[in-house]
Amino acid sequence: RQELLGPLREDPEWVNVPSLIVDVRAEMNLPSVDQEMTTFARSLRTHRGLVVLDDIGREKASEWTGELLYVIVNDRYERELCTIATANMTPDGLAQAGYWPVISRLTDRGLIVEVKASDQRAKARVRP
């Protein structure tokens, strides 16, 4: 049991994927001197604690977004670092959107948990 907790001792990183992509795109437009700084996306690749990639598939999928997520997930996969991904899409839907390599890495040593529940935020706004 202690072996499982070992990698989780470092603070977890919770990352909204669409926001991450917006931030990386913005950083790409900085002057070249600033581009040499370590980006948050690069730090996710080797962060030793748990990383939660929240809302994958909510962003506009493209080759570029698929490649960015693949690099992050694959580096963590190869280093056997803990990663959780959340999505409102099925694995098949994400694969069709171009994220098959990401899904493959996440499911190889992981588990898919399907949560069937209504949107709790929408429920909170409805008052009797």
Side-chain angles (χ1 to χ4, degrees), residues 20-42 62 64-65 67-68:
L20 171 68
I21 289 169
V22 167
D23 292 346
V24 170
R25 281 190 179 127
E27 188 174 358
M28 290 171 57
N29 292 325
L30 294 174
S32 61
V33 171
D34 292 335
Q35 284 183 17
E36 293 178 13
M37 294 186 312
T38 302
T39 65
F40 183 60
R42 285 189 195 122
S62 68
W64 183 81
T65 59
E67 183 178 351
L68 176 65

Side-chain angles (χ1 to χ4, degrees), residues 43-97:
S43 73
L44 290 176
R45 293 165 60 181
T46 57
H47 180 72
R48 302 224 32 97
L50 171 68
V51 169
V52 179
L53 299 172
D54 186 38
D55 231 353
I56 290 181
R58 183 71 186 109
E59 70 286 346
K60 182 178 179 184
S62 68
E63 270 188 51
W64 183 81
T65 59
E67 183 178 351
L68 176 65
L69 288 176
Y70 171 77
V71 168
I72 292 168
V73 169
N74 187 62
D75 282 356
R76 296 188 58 75
Y77 171 84
E78 289 178 351
R79 290 178 175 84
E80 297 183 348
L81 299 172
C82 297
T83 308
I84 294 175
T86 71
N88 286 331
M89 298 172 68
T90 65
D92 287 341
L94 289 167
Q96 290 174 4

Side-chain angles (χ1 to χ4, degrees), residues 114-128:
E114 183 178 357
V115 178
K116 292 186 179 188
S118 58
D119 184 339
Q120 298 303 303
R121 286 177 287 239
K123 268 187 173 178
R125 287 189 297 261
V126 176
R127 299 229 160 85

